[in-house]
Amino acid sequence: SQQGEEDPQALSIQEGENATMNCSYKTSINNLQWYRQNSGRGLVHLILIRSNEREKHSGRLRVTLDTSKKSSSLLITASRAADTASYFCATGLGYIPTFGRGTSLIVHP
Amino acid sequence: DGGITQSPKYLFRKEGQNVTLSCEQNLNHDAMYWYRQDPGQGLRLIYYSQIVNDFQKGDIAEGYSVSREKKESFPLTVTSAQKNPTAFYLCASSIPRTSGGPDEQFFGPGTRLTVL
């Protein structure tokens, strides 16, 4: 069963705009992670936020976590065509994460 | 360069044949995983291994088998018992956390298996 569910399923924006995608989950978690997958490639780990953290930044990425609402958001600022990819959240309590179905982001140059 | 390699990148199989997908890592990670990804779907866990000579079934293990004879290698065999094997297969590894999991996972480039 899938723990995290990303929203929206697909997102299309222009270069330079911000992209926001959300992840909702159902049960308690220790941490929440975001991964990126370029078409036909493996996943790449982007950022991890622990359950006792509310916000985390990494370059143009900003992740928030609201454990009371069981939700997280990933914000990519000043998007580039190279950000075109699928983005997955991964959550859980044990050492194996459970992945959502992902948000497909297209950034038009 | 440290990383995970998977081979082959593309694999074609006739119905009724077994096929083995290779996964090798030089990250010195103890844990390794196999996932299956279908179009528009998330990753589903097939098998995982925390240490050499030990592995556990994931959510969709039926029709698959694995071995873990070396720390660096975790091959996946797709058997003829797997009813719908056409998919993208991803191998990953991690350093198992002692607490505060889940672990950050490092992925290989994937193998696309097509059954003809």
Side-chain angles (χ1 to χ4, degrees):
Chain A
S1 62
Q2 283 171 315
Q3 162 78 303
E5 291 292 337
E6 294 88 346
D7 172 67
Q9 288 188 344
L11 183 59
S12 180
I13 61 175
Q14 295 295 128
E15 209 166 27
E17 294 179 341
N18 294 343
T20 300
M21 52 205 86
N22 305 295
C23 171
S24 59
Y25 57 92
K26 295 179 180 140
T27 62
S28 298
I29 60 171
N30 278 331
N31 68 52
L32 186 144
Q33 303 169 43
W34 286 92
Y35 290 79
R36 184 187 74 222
Q37 183 181 34
N38 290 91
S39 180
R41 310 289 287 272
L43 277 71
V44 175
H45 184 266
L46 293 176
I47 195 165
L48 179 152
I49 185 164
R50 294 181 173 80
S51 59
N52 61 355
E53 297 176 312
R54 292 296 166 258
E55 188 170 313
K56 203 160 182 181
H57 296 255
S58 176
R60 292 183 297 111
L61 305 180
R62 173 178 170 252
V63 169
T64 61
L65 179 64
D66 186 334
T67 53
S68 67
K69 294 181 180 178
K70 292 187 169 58
S71 69
S72 172
S73 67
L74 171 67
L75 168 67
I76 304 174
T77 60
S79 63
R80 306 166 182 167
D83 294 327
T84 294
S86 292
Y87 293 82
F88 295 87
C89 67
T91 61
L93 275 176
Y95 77 91
I96 302 175
T98 303
F99 291 84
R101 287 190 171 92
T103 291
S104 175
L105 172 66
I106 297 176
V107 182
H108 299 279
Chain B
D1 288 336
I4 301 181
T5 57
Q6 290 185 243
S7 61
K9 187 173 177 64
Y10 298 98
L11 189 56
F12 298 90
R13 189 194 91 176
K14 293 182 180 177
E15 280 194 30
Q17 287 181 336
N18 292 355
V19 64
T20 298
L21 283 58
S22 169
C23 177
E24 304 276 332
Q25 56 102 357
N26 61 4
L27 299 168
N28 200 32
H29 286 171
D30 288 313
M32 296 187 74
Y33 315 80
W34 275 105
Y35 293 93
R36 170 181 171 140
Q37 186 177 33
D38 294 283
Q41 301 293 315
L43 277 62
R44 292 186 289 169
L45 182 65
I46 305 173
Y47 268 98
Y48 63 99
S49 168
Q50 291 181 268
I51 57 172
V52 174
N53 293 323
D54 183 60
F55 48 83
Q56 307 295 328
K57 291 181 179 180
D59 299 321
I60 56 165
E62 186 175 351
Y64 300 98
S65 66
V66 293
S67 62
R68 187 85 186 277
E69 296 176 2
K70 298 187 298 182
K71 188 175 184 178
E72 302 80 19
S73 179
F74 191 40
L76 173 74
T77 296
V78 184
T79 75
S80 56
Q82 169 49 234
K83 297 285 186 267
N84 184 21
T86 294
F88 189 53
Y89 290 87
L90 287 161
C91 179
S93 70
S94 72
I95 303 172
R97 291 170 180 263
T98 54
S99 65
D103 306 322
E104 301 160 32
Q105 299 205 328
F106 295 77
F107 284 82
T111 292
R112 188 167 299 280
L113 172 64
T114 303
V115 173
L116 302 173

